[in-house]
Amino acid sequence: MGGNDTHDDGDSSYSEALREDLDRGLDAVTDSYVLLVVIGLLIGLQLAPVALSATPGAGDAATVAVIRLSGGIDGDAANAVATQIERAVSDPSVKAIVLRINSPGGGAAASEQLYLTVARAAEQLPVIVSVNSIAASGAYYTAVAADHIYVKPSSLIGSVGVVFVAPQEIPPQERIVVTGPAKQTGGDRPSWYYKIDAAKQAFLGAVMTQRGDALSIPRTEVATAKLFSAPRAVQSGIADEIGGLQSAIQHAADVADLQHYEVAVFERGGTTTFVTRTAYTASPVGDKRLVGPEYFVGNGTAATGPNILMLAQSVAYQAFSDRVVPAGAATNDSATTNRSTVPAGAVV
Amino acid sequence: MPDRRQALGVVVATAAVVIAVTVAVTALTSGAPGFQAISVDHPEFDPGTLIADRADDTASIDPAVDASGQVVLVDEAHRNQFSRAEMKPLLRAFTEAGFEVRFLTDSGDFDDALAAADVFVVLTPRTSYTRSQVASVNEFTADGGQLILAGEPTTAEIVSGGLQVSIVETNDRPAALARSYDISYRSRYLYDLVDYAGIYRNLYATPATASGLTQGVDRMVVYLGTAVTATGGQTVFETGETTHIAGTGETRSRGMVVRDGNVIAIGDQTLFTVDRFASADNDEFIENLVEYVATH
């Protein structure tokens, strides 16, 4: 007998012993249903993501929707943006909204519609605002309903107040006959003060309700209707943080707890109307036009009032002149005003 | 005990169930498209918090004096910024008290007209008084004549000129005339963000010093007024503690009506007008003013 024969016999015995061990092991596994189910669970969990990605409609990529509020806020703009917000909220793939604002405000009713829409959306999804060059008056009204407000270092924000274009007071006449003394103008001039003050109180109340915990300035300072620079806005709680659009998008994703997401920019169709050059030049919107402030305020004709606006203050007065002579004691708040004897369409 | 084929079947079946349940749950919880019915409360829009009580607007002016034989001269010779129709409440009060109301329309008649008057009313002159005119008025009051001054803060007036509409600055205050009595008008308007009548620049003024001018007056409403001070006189009506002068951060009460001897200076003219005289106790003040100048 040689050594090789002994080695071959040893190898054969080892393999057989290994096979027997394996068989005993498998038998032990297959003998236990619990163990079989556990193995099936583990395999299933590993394969489930693959199945999800192959299934249309199920598990669509999470999306952060970016919606633009650009230019003057008229009914058309408000309706378009509100519709986009509501569609985003109702889209299962949208997990957060970033509202990109570049607007000096506009009509009061249109601005209020946006505030209510954003407030409603913020109850369902994270809503983060990113301000471009300006978010004034009605645009700021829209912003305060959001969860967080980002501003850029040169952004202007605030102007919590109302601009009112009074109706012309016309004595009774025989050509246009009305059935009540207030039918022509809606009430005497003193009563209009109270009407627009109610609009202001609603605006101010919304700001105090939504921003109250963050504000370090009193209600009366907010009520001065001043426009804040970005640093001052963050310092006083009018805005939350200085940062750009990307910061806002990332913030929105973080709040929505998204590790992977897509960004969808909701573009509004048609032409975007701007009333301030600063917002116009800052806007990346392709189809845009710059109109005069008289678009909102009127031009002094009798047909302009009553008109309640939430518009950055400078815009309103520019509507009446291409050569504005400021009051001598110019102040940061609305120093220029007219008296009751001035012609029709004057700003109260 | 299962054989190996059965065991494989158990594993495959379990894995399949896990995959199916995962896909189904994901599809269901990702939500179906469509609007959700949610309710959002807006306490900030509670009407009770938005509506301010309007200042009382009932009025009655019935001066309890007989000023028969006395003359009130109203200046219209210095581009005064009022119309007679607008000032009807004040003018009618003088008339009902028995005064003869005359209007100075030509400054050439200044001295003669003044000499024949008992009361001189200067409302928001846009043209300044000359030195000689100031001297004449000083002489008038030194001789016992009563002087009523009313001014407004610097404002902007919207002026229509053909195709162009412009905003021009106006300064309608009897500054030079007031200064001759050590009375000064501020140029900037007053406002209050806490206590106001309608909007921030319509202020309440309350009695500061009891006198015949304050009798029966709880508060007046002034519409875009300015502060007035009398160095040697007294403040008769003042605004609230939360009053601002436009452009300044400081808040404190400001004089709205002051008196120094025979001179009464008021920091607002609008409170005399037809659509403002009935606010709060403005009517009472007008009545007191007429009675005061008739009896002093």
Side-chain angles (χ1 to χ4, degrees):
Chain A
M1 288 198 190
N4 287 338
D5 290 336
T6 304
H7 184 72
D8 285 340
D9 286 341
D11 284 345
S12 175
S13 296
Y14 179 77
S15 298
E16 266 188 40
L18 191 60
R19 197 178 303 115
E20 283 172 8
D21 285 342
L22 210 58
D23 283 341
R24 273 197 295 274
L26 280 174
D27 285 340
V29 170
T30 56
D31 282 348
S32 169
Y33 278 105
V34 172
L35 205 51
L36 289 171
V37 170
V38 169
I39 293 171
L41 271 170
L42 291 173
I43 295 172
L45 288 172
Q46 288 297 313
L47 294 178
V50 178
L52 272 174
S53 63
T55 306
D60 280 345
T63 302
V64 174
V66 176
I67 297 172
R68 295 192 208 277
L69 172 58
S70 300
I73 302 176
D74 57 12
D76 189 36
N79 192 55
V81 173
T83 300
Q84 289 177 331
I85 292 172
E86 287 167 357
R87 282 186 180 151
V89 169
S90 66
D91 184 338
S93 69
V94 174
K95 305 303 181 187
I97 294 173
V98 170
L99 191 58
R100 178 72 160 165
I101 297 180
N102 187 32
S103 168
S111 302
E112 288 164 340
Q113 178 190 356
L114 286 176
Y115 168 78
L116 292 168
T117 302
V118 173
R120 186 181 174 84
E123 290 286 320
Q124 302 168 77
L125 291 177
V127 179
I128 310 298
V129 161
S130 169
V131 177
N132 195 352
S133 71
I134 185 168
S137 208
Y140 181 61
Y141 202 164
T142 304
V144 296
D147 299 302
H148 203 82
I149 299 175
Y150 279 88
V151 288
K152 296 197 291 191
S154 66
S155 298
L156 294 174
I157 187 168
S159 185
V160 179
V162 174
V163 175
F164 174 60
V165 182
Q168 184 179 15
E169 295 184 28
I170 305 172
Q173 48 161 313
E174 289 301 317
R175 182 164 173 79
I176 301 174
V177 179
V178 296
T179 59
K183 184 63 178 176
Q184 278 181 177
T185 59
D188 60 16
R189 184 60 60 86
S191 74
W192 274 106
Y193 295 140
Y194 290 88
K195 291 180 182 44
I196 63 173
D197 189 64
K200 183 211 83 176
Q201 294 293 352
F203 188 178
L204 187 58
V207 173
M208 300 308 295
T209 297
Q210 300 288 355
R211 304 292 308 173
D213 292 342
L215 287 173
S216 62
I217 56 176
R219 181 187 178 102
T220 49
E221 186 169 346
V222 179
T224 60
K226 64 172 66 169
L227 262 178
F228 291 80
S229 65
R232 180 75 180 118
V234 172
Q235 188 181 57
S236 59
I238 293 292
D240 293 298
E241 205 168 337
I242 291 183
L245 178 59
Q246 291 307 318
S247 298
I249 292 171
Q250 184 60 56
H251 187 122
D254 290 345
V255 174
D257 199 23
L258 304 177
Q259 303 300 319
H260 305 283
Y261 58 93
E262 295 177 351
V263 177
V265 179
F266 284 41
E267 292 287 1
R268 180 190 152 194
T271 305
T272 301
T273 300
F274 290 85
V275 291
T276 60
R277 187 164 289 278
T278 181
Y280 178 81
T281 54
S283 174
V285 170
D287 187 0
K288 59 185 179 182
R289 64 176 180 145
L290 183 63
V291 300
E294 62 274 5
Y295 175 75
F296 282 101
V297 185
N299 62 358
T301 67
T304 54
N307 192 3
I308 302 178
L309 303 169
M310 290 174 178
L311 201 59
Q313 42 265 51
S314 59
V315 176
Y317 291 103
Q318 283 170 19
F320 290 93
S321 176
D322 51 28
R323 180 183 64 84
V324 176
V325 178
T331 60
N332 287 331
D333 51 357
S334 302
T336 58
T337 186
N338 69 300
R339 289 158 41 208
S340 58
T341 54
V342 299
V347 173
V348 172
Chain B
M1 293 183 216
D3 61 18
R4 289 185 185 180
R5 189 178 292 179
Q6 287 173 327
L8 183 62
V10 170
V11 169
V12 169
T14 304
V17 166
V18 168
I19 292 170
V21 167
T22 303
V23 171
V25 167
T26 302
L28 284 171
T29 57
S30 63
F35 301 120
Q36 293 184 40
I38 66 165
S39 173
V40 181
D41 292 330
H42 288 287
E44 65 272 28
F45 297 151
D46 176 10
T49 64
L50 302 182
I51 300 171
D53 291 329
R54 181 173 172 173
D56 171 48
D57 60 357
T58 59
S60 170
I61 299 179
D62 186 19
V65 289
D66 182 4
S68 302
Q70 296 193 56
V71 174
V72 169
L73 181 66
V74 182
D75 183 20
E76 287 184 338
H78 290 83
R79 293 181 63 207
N80 305 78
Q81 298 302 301
F82 70 93
S83 70
R84 296 182 191 181
E86 258 191 323
M87 287 298 151
K88 193 174 288 185
L90 178 64
L91 299 175
R92 181 177 290 169
F94 280 121
T95 303
E96 291 186 354
F99 282 99
E100 178 188 346
V101 179
R102 298 177 186 171
F103 295 92
L104 177 67
T105 57
D106 182 352
S107 58
D109 301 329
F110 191 83
D111 288 340
D112 290 339
L114 201 56
D118 300 282
V119 181
F120 188 36
V121 180
V122 179
L123 306 174
T124 51
R126 188 161 287 186
T127 304
S128 293
Y129 273 60
T130 63
R131 281 189 192 177
S132 81
Q133 288 172 343
V134 170
S136 294
V137 177
N138 290 163
E139 192 176 326
F140 166 78
T141 54
D143 287 342
Q146 299 288 322
L147 176 64
I148 298 174
L149 304 174
E152 294 274 345
T154 298
T155 58
E157 192 167 273
I158 298 166
V159 179
S160 176
L163 294 176
Q164 185 171 336
V165 181
S166 306
I167 299 177
V168 296
E169 185 177 308
T170 65
N171 295 288
D172 303 326
R173 293 178 292 280
L177 190 51
R179 258 199 312 275
S180 70
Y181 295 98
D182 286 332
I183 292 173
S184 63
Y185 278 84
R186 296 292 294 261
S187 62
R188 300 187 183 195
Y189 68 96
L190 303 176
Y191 70 89
D192 194 322
L193 293 168
V194 177
D195 191 19
Y196 53 83
I199 59 171
Y200 72 110
R201 53 183 176 81
N202 298 343
L203 273 61
Y204 292 113
T206 55
T209 309
S211 72
L213 289 169
T214 62
Q215 196 169 357
V217 178
D218 182 33
R219 61 181 186 177
M220 297 195 295
V221 180
V222 295
Y223 295 86
L224 195 68
T226 189
V228 195
T229 54
T231 305
Q234 62 179 199
T235 301
V236 183
F237 284 91
E238 63 185 0
T239 62
E241 290 292 331
T242 47
T243 301
H244 288 262
I245 288 184
T248 69
E250 181 194 9
T251 57
R252 64 177 177 85
S253 64
R254 303 284 176 174
M256 183 52 58
V257 179
V258 298
R259 187 184 68 81
D260 188 347
N262 292 358
V263 183
I264 298 169
I266 306 155
D268 176 47
Q269 165 183 286
T270 316
L271 66 94
F272 294 123
T273 59
V274 291
D275 55 356
R276 303 287 197 277
F277 84 101
S279 296
D281 297 323
N282 289 5
D283 57 329
E284 200 68 44
F285 171 69
I286 294 170
E287 188 176 283
N288 291 349
L289 181 64
V290 169
E291 288 175 353
Y292 186 90
V293 295
T295 54
H296 285 77

